[in-house]
Amino acid sequence: MSSAYDEPLGVTPDGAAWLASAGTYPRSTLAFWEERPQAPVVLPCGSVFDIVSAPALFGRLMLDRLWAEGPGSGPVAAFRGRTLLFAAPGTAHRLPSLLEWEEWGADGRREGRAATVPPLLCHGTGDAVTVPALTPSDAGCATRWMVAPDTRHPWLPGPEILLWAAVRAARSAVRISISPPPDQDAKVYDVSRRR
């Protein structure tokens, strides 16, 4: 199944300027990208954007919920088996406490709702992340833009919206069964050879 997120996307010049503004030396970053537009770059979080990093599949479910039922998303990247959702500054500080309040944090319950939300890594002030290259190298690349930055002032979701997306993604991932869970200590007999 293919979607708009599977298309290799390039960053617009305004989007590149926005990304570069996160760094200490934006003009140097832009000059580097002019020479090597297919090179990823490490950028600091906390002032221009925060990052919420989810396992690829769950991040994709969150992104689907944001676009199908919610307000959409800001820039989103796929990087080494994770989905990087660009978020409003301050999200990395607030989202973990919201997840904990919903009993979905790292210290929350291990069964029930907590088991449906994988750990979300929040990167904010003091952290840095690798962002994909401005132009995609190929469609099958594991590091790429799913929603590329295209403006100098992109809308970025805050912690409440990302919590909402995580809740919706978890609900869509849960399989409801009316059967009790199997007894792990039960003996299993092969009755296929019975006469």
Side-chain angles (χ1 to χ4, degrees):
M1 183 169 108
S2 178
S3 75
Y5 315 129
D6 295 326
E7 306 284 323
L9 299 173
V11 177
T12 66
D14 283 345
W18 172 74
L19 282 170
S21 73
T24 307
Y25 304 104
R27 288 188 301 187
S28 296
T29 302
L30 289 172
F32 174 77
W33 271 331
E34 279 183 30
E35 290 177 21
R36 299 183 61 199
Q38 293 185 328
V41 172
V42 176
L43 293 174
C45 300
S47 63
V48 174
F49 56 79
D50 281 359
I51 297 286
V52 174
S53 173
L57 200 51
F58 190 78
R60 179 69 173 259
L61 289 172
M62 287 178 66
L63 186 58
D64 288 345
R65 296 288 62 83
L66 284 166
W67 283 101
E69 302 169 16
S73 73
V76 179
F79 184 76
R80 294 188 178 173
R82 309 244 352 141
T83 299
L84 307 179
L85 296 122
F86 284 68
T91 298
H93 177 73
R94 181 80 175 113
L95 185 59
S97 61
L98 291 175
L99 289 167
E100 197 63 39
W101 179 74
E102 285 286 338
E103 298 177 342
W104 283 337
D107 298 328
R109 296 180 300 161
R110 295 292 178 220
E111 64 265 352
R113 289 191 299 180
T116 62
V117 176
L120 300 178
L121 306 176
C122 298
H123 304 284
T125 303
D127 297 326
V129 295
T130 302
V131 300
L134 296 183
T135 58
S137 53
D138 61 46
C141 186
T143 301
R144 62 186 174 79
W145 289 103
M146 296 169 72
V147 179
D150 61 357
T151 178
R152 287 182 186 262
H153 304 286
W155 176 81
L156 298 171
E160 294 83 5
I161 291 172
L162 291 175
L163 174 67
W164 173 89
V167 168
R168 295 305 184 281
R171 286 181 183 163
S172 70
V174 172
R175 305 273 189 259
I176 298 175
S177 173
I178 59 172
S179 303
D183 183 0
Q184 298 299 324
D185 296 325
K187 294 187 185 207
V188 178
Y189 300 98
D190 182 5
V191 295
S192 62
R193 295 179 184 237
R194 209 163 96 187
R195 296 180 206 203

